[in-house]
Amino acid sequence: MSNFKLHIPFPPAGDQPKAIESLVQGVKDGLRYQTLLGATGTGKTYTIANIVAQIDKPTLVMAHNKTLAAQLAQEYREFFPENAVHYFVSYYDYYQPEAYIAHSDTYIEKEAQINAEIDRLRHAATQALLTRKDVLIVASVSAIYGLGSPAQYEKVHIKLVKGGKEDRASLIRKLVGIYFERTNADLEPGKLRAVGNSLELMPVNERAIYRIVFEGEEISLIECLDPVSRAKTGEPDSLFVFPAKHFVSSEEERKHALESIRAELDERLEQLKREEKPLEAERLKRRTLHDIALIREIGYSGGIENYSRHFDGRAPGEPPHTLLSYFPHKKDGSADFLTVIDESHVAVSQIGGMYAGDKSRKDILVEHGFRLPSARDNRPLKFDEFEKRIGQVIFTSATPGNYEREHSVPPEGKIVQQIIRPTGLVDPELVVRPINETGDYKGQVADFIIEAEKTIKGGGRALATTLTKQMAEDLADFLRQKGIKSEYLHSDIKTIERIDILTAFRRGEFDILVGVNLLREGLDLPEVELVGILDADKEGFLRSETSLIQTIGRAARNILGRVILYADVMTGSLTRAIEETDRRRTIQLAYNKEHGITPVTIKKEIKDIAESMRSEHQKTVHSLLELDAKLYQEDPKTFMADKRKQMNEAVEALDFETAAIIRDEIYTLEGKEVPEKKATRARTGRRKGR
């Protein structure tokens, strides 16, 4: 019996059964590399879900951005509702890495803003890997970055048993030792509080309060409570509590690590002295001794990850522990899990490019005395290290890159095509129109607006892709001035807000979404009937054959889908993209005719895929925004005055949580930055005071 319980919404169809059978057999035959060359809308995710259920191994699915990863995680949860499907991405809402610019003598200190909910999801993922076999993790490139040792993380966990010997004071000390924080206020993940003869804590991986009741030096009761209502939801006999941070070590290991750091410092200072670099030596000495003091006193420092090699006991140059280290391995050390690299034509090169950029920045910091040489070992994996750690891999893409094609050949691999859509949908109709104004023709923007208005009038939505972020913002602004509800999407917008924008777009809260590069791979937007690719003949990364095919695919989930390519010159990429689209149309039309299929638009329930990443506070604010949207639109001035009155009344009643929720709703509606980033900004008016 498989550990994975696949909920089948419909049986595999089209060429899915053949693809599933071939790829499963390839895994069983021990093939190292396989590629699923699947056209957009053919159900590649469903195919992979079937393979996971049959192979029955923990699985890592890697995506090249957080938005796509969130969508995939939601889809896999629907396929495996009884199993452990988790989401693992970078937990930073904002991250400015530590850096030094030598020519201007400018030191940039690390500045980071951690999203507590994403941090909780990361802990949930690693804990599931250490405690279960039915685990599927959807991860971004964060999976190849340094993470604490899984052996140490697992070793220092605390097991609490009803009837077990334990006193409250010693348990508090143990929890503080694994980085739990004491509080007298509301509990958050990784915090605890003492209440009478009991202790309450919220594990770092879930939103639940556990109440441990003591009778003398014995645990008499363990209760699970709802964090809001405090209603009892369970009474477990035991509880496993993992550390509140991934970088964790015992007191003895910490002592050895500090000795090792000090020895490296002395060696490096001698080297800088020989090189006659007194400024760098003094800078390094002061900074490192400060970190050593903090680690000795409280077990942690802001830059502790730079000393990870010393805590892990690794040799210089040895790769760090990463999420891959938490997956199961065989006795010989080889990977015992399946890896799927989604949209591999982008993800593979992204994975391969991480190490060089990190090394360049670290080399400068080390050279100028800001960090010890061992800081270089706090790094992402090199590509060859990544390859050694993933075992068997399946690449999925509508446009596989050279790497996948070269590796997925016999005897080590194979390429499996999945071109036919079970829905019968055909690749969208393509039209090429000029960019510039000629005669009565007013140019690409004016033409796109005319076509988009026709689509919107019929109840559809439209996408427009530009070449730069500024162009995307300006076009969205211009469309709004024309009375068309529109938004833009690009990499400067935070993870949760990106997902909120896409959800609002699918719900019809606005009609046109303008983007640069995020509107290409993998996004499932069946409501889109029109895609306008501006400046389609500007040969380059954003208008390569691969990029054009991927963008064209955004209109492939709707029976009315069509794409307008604005170009004055037929480039090689443009010609090949059109030829490949026509080839796939021909295959699908022949299949439909043979099987008597009438194409239908994909119907997909609109879900808030960002829900799991929000805190309880954010969820409440988000719910209020949805409930109050109509009232606000009818009379904004009166509505806001009433909200401010409610907020002041809550403050007078000392109900500060309610006041904070109302305050954040007001800030969001006004387009202001919410204090402490507790809620996303309004979907409109994000820039230039709009």
Side-chain angles (χ1 to χ4, degrees):
M1 290 291 290
S2 173
N3 290 300
F4 286 93
K5 309 298 180 187
L6 177 62
H7 282 225
I8 303 177
F10 41 78
D15 48 9
Q16 287 176 339
K18 186 177 178 181
I20 293 166
E21 181 183 0
S22 181
L23 291 166
V24 167
Q25 191 59 50
V27 174
K28 291 180 178 178
D29 290 343
L31 294 186
R32 181 78 167 83
Y33 304 99
Q34 296 186 90
T35 294
L36 174 59
L37 194 166
T40 301
T42 58
K44 294 189 291 293
T45 305
Y46 184 48
T47 295
I48 294 297
N50 277 271
I51 294 167
V52 170
Q54 292 188 43
I55 297 302
D56 197 27
K57 285 187 176 183
T59 301
L60 169 65
V61 178
M62 289 194 69
H64 69 278
N65 69 54
K66 294 179 178 180
T67 309
L68 178 56
Q71 177 179 293
L72 286 170
Q74 181 62 48
E75 291 176 356
Y76 281 116
R77 287 188 187 114
E78 291 173 5
F79 293 138
F80 298 112
E82 299 175 48
N83 303 115
V85 177
H86 292 281
Y87 178 69
F88 188 97
V89 298
S90 167
Y91 55 19
Y92 295 117
D93 274 339
Y94 172 78
Y95 182 64
Q96 170 61 61
E98 181 182 32
Y100 179 65
I101 304 171
H103 68 81
S104 61
D105 190 28
T106 304
Y107 172 69
I108 303 171
E109 192 168 359
K110 183 181 86 171
E111 186 180 351
Q113 188 167 65
I114 292 176
N115 183 310
E117 282 305 299
I118 295 181
D119 188 31
R120 182 186 68 78
L121 294 173
R122 286 164 63 93
H123 280 278
T126 52
Q127 290 179 30
L129 284 169
L130 295 175
T131 57
R132 301 179 63 160
K133 294 181 179 179
D134 60 334
V135 184
L136 186 151
I137 308 294
V138 181
S140 68
V141 72
S142 182
I144 69 168
Y145 276 77
L147 202 61
S149 162
Q152 189 61 38
Y153 183 74
E154 185 176 25
K155 185 170 74 174
V156 300
H157 79 270
I158 298 170
K159 182 179 181 180
L160 303 175
V161 181
K162 181 179 177 181
K165 295 294 181 183
E166 190 73 75
D167 67 87
R168 198 185 72 162
S170 65
L171 179 56
I172 290 174
R173 286 194 294 272
K174 289 179 184 177
L175 290 168
V176 170
I178 58 173
Y179 306 118
F180 272 73
E181 296 178 24
R182 292 194 66 169
T183 182
N184 292 320
D186 290 341
L187 286 176
E188 296 174 357
K191 293 191 176 182
L192 65 93
R193 65 186 173 203
V195 183
N197 69 330
S198 66
L199 180 68
E200 294 182 347
L201 64 89
M202 184 176 286
V204 75
N205 66 313
E206 59 180 311
R207 296 191 196 97
I209 293 174
Y210 285 90
R211 185 167 174 262
I212 297 96
V213 182
F214 297 88
E215 285 187 7
E217 295 186 354
E218 181 179 297
I219 296 174
S220 61
L221 180 66
I222 301 175
E223 293 180 312
C224 182
L225 310 175
D226 182 274
V228 179
S229 67
R230 291 190 63 83
K232 184 173 163 182
T233 59
E235 193 175 310
D237 292 327
S238 62
L239 171 66
F240 288 88
V241 184
F242 281 82
K245 298 183 186 298
H246 279 110
F247 289 96
V248 63
S249 59
S250 65
E251 189 173 336
E252 186 63 28
E253 287 168 328
R254 196 153 52 237
K255 180 181 176 182
H256 286 306
L258 292 177
E259 290 173 356
S260 178
I261 294 169
R262 185 59 197 253
E264 185 190 9
L265 173 62
D266 292 341
E267 182 181 335
R268 179 61 175 160
L269 291 176
E270 280 297 318
Q271 182 182 357
L272 291 172
K273 184 178 178 181
R274 290 194 302 271
E275 294 173 357
E276 297 184 353
K277 293 182 175 180
L279 174 62
E280 288 81 355
E282 180 59 31
R283 179 186 288 153
L284 182 64
K285 180 180 179 182
R286 185 170 63 248
R287 173 177 292 267
T288 308
L289 290 179
H290 174 71
D291 285 344
I292 288 174
L294 281 175
I295 295 169
R296 180 180 292 117
E297 294 300 320
I298 64 175
Y300 202 78
S301 78
I304 193 169
E305 67 276 5
N306 289 293
Y307 308 105
S308 60
R309 170 162 68 79
H310 296 279
F311 286 91
D312 296 343
R314 288 182 282 130
E318 192 177 342
H321 293 293
T322 66
L323 177 67
L324 304 180
S325 308
Y326 287 73
F327 277 87
H329 291 75
K330 299 175 184 175
K331 291 182 179 179
D332 63 1
S334 61
D336 193 19
F337 61 95
L338 180 66
T339 300
V340 177
I341 302 183
D342 196 74
E343 304 297 352
S344 57
H345 62 283
V346 177
V348 167
S349 57
Q350 184 190 56
I351 293 166
M354 293 296 104
Y355 172 76
D358 184 81
K359 182 179 184 301
S360 176
R361 180 175 58 83
K362 295 276 180 57
D363 284 346
I364 294 172
L365 288 168
V366 171
E367 179 186 350
H368 293 277
F370 289 95
R371 286 294 169 195
L372 290 170
S374 58
R376 293 190 182 103
D377 294 317
N378 168 48
R379 59 174 175 82
L381 296 175
K382 300 175 185 177
F383 192 74
D384 63 326
E385 294 168 344
F386 170 74
E387 284 185 301
K388 292 174 184 175
R389 284 160 176 74
I390 59 171
Q392 291 179 286
V393 59
I394 298 175
F395 304 105
T396 70
S397 174
T399 52
N402 291 334
Y403 177 88
E404 301 95 285
R405 290 184 181 277
E406 290 169 3
H407 285 73
S408 300
V409 294
E412 284 197 322
K414 64 182 172 184
I415 295 176
V416 176
Q417 287 203 75
Q418 185 172 297
I419 303 298
I420 297 167
R421 299 182 179 93
T423 56
L425 282 169
V426 182
D427 278 82
E429 176 189 353
L430 304 182
V431 179
V432 180
R433 291 182 182 168
I435 295 172
N436 298 306
E437 182 177 350
T438 54
D440 294 335
Y441 181 77
K442 298 302 181 184
Q444 61 180 357
V445 173
D447 183 74
F448 174 73
I449 291 174
I450 292 169
E451 296 297 334
E453 285 178 331
K454 293 177 187 175
T455 297
I456 294 165
K457 189 175 181 180
R461 312 253 217 287
L463 295 179
T465 64
T466 64
L467 290 173
T468 68
K469 296 175 185 177
Q470 189 62 54
M471 288 170 66
E473 294 185 21
D474 290 345
L475 179 55
D477 203 13
F478 182 73
L479 291 168
R480 281 194 287 266
Q481 290 172 17
K482 293 287 184 181
I484 302 172
K485 292 184 288 185
S486 61
E487 279 297 336
Y488 62 84
L489 189 72
H490 56 58
S491 58
D492 286 349
I493 296 172
K494 295 180 178 66
T495 306
I496 294 179
E497 190 174 0
R498 285 185 209 170
I499 298 168
D500 283 341
I501 290 169
L502 290 169
T503 303
F505 180 55
R506 291 198 61 206
R507 287 175 176 162
E509 294 178 25
F510 60 94
D511 301 309
I512 298 180
L513 181 58
V514 186
V516 183
N517 199 32
L518 291 176
L519 301 183
R520 284 174 41 191
E521 287 84 7
L523 292 181
D524 196 349
L525 305 169
E527 295 79 14
V528 171
E529 293 180 9
L530 173 66
V531 174
I533 304 179
L534 306 184
D535 301 298
D537 60 0
K538 300 300 185 287
E539 190 76 83
F541 171 70
L542 292 175
R543 296 296 181 263
S544 65
E545 176 188 352
T546 295
S547 295
L548 290 170
I549 291 173
Q550 290 289 341
T551 307
I552 288 168
R554 296 318 101 208
R557 289 177 168 85
N558 193 298
I559 192 173
L560 301 176
R562 59 196 180 101
V563 178
I564 304 176
L565 300 125
Y566 292 97
D568 291 328
V569 179
M570 289 301 294
T571 64
S573 292
L574 195 52
T575 301
R576 290 189 296 273
I578 292 172
E579 288 174 351
E580 177 61 16
T581 301
D582 288 343
R583 182 184 78 87
R584 295 179 182 182
R585 280 178 62 87
T586 302
I587 293 172
Q588 185 71 56
L589 287 169
Y591 179 84
N592 291 354
K593 184 177 180 180
E594 181 183 348
H595 294 84
I597 294 176
T598 301
V600 292
T601 297
I602 292 173
K603 300 294 182 184
K604 186 171 183 180
E605 185 181 353
I606 300 173
K607 293 189 176 181
D608 185 358
I609 58 177
E611 186 69 8
S612 64
M613 288 179 272
R614 292 192 180 95
S615 65
E616 292 301 321
H617 179 98
Q618 287 175 315
K619 285 181 179 179
T620 306
V621 174
H622 191 73
S623 298
L624 275 177
L625 286 168
E626 291 187 336
L627 289 171
D628 292 340
K630 188 175 180 181
L631 292 173
Y632 174 72
Q633 290 170 1
E634 289 174 354
D635 189 351
K637 189 174 180 181
T638 302
F639 177 84
M640 296 297 267
D642 185 51
K643 279 291 172 182
R644 286 191 169 87
K645 181 181 177 184
Q646 292 176 27
M647 180 177 68
N648 292 332
E649 288 173 350
V651 171
E652 289 176 8
L654 304 182
D655 186 357
F656 298 116
E657 176 57 25
T658 298
I661 290 169
I662 298 171
R663 174 204 65 191
D664 289 354
E665 183 186 12
I666 292 170
Y667 272 51
T668 304
L669 290 168
E670 291 180 339
K672 295 179 180 178
E673 201 72 50
V674 174
E676 299 182 10
K677 308 287 183 184
K678 283 193 174 180
T680 56
R681 290 174 290 178
R683 294 189 182 99
T684 57
R686 284 188 297 274
R687 300 284 188 274
K688 305 175 184 174
R690 292 197 296 267

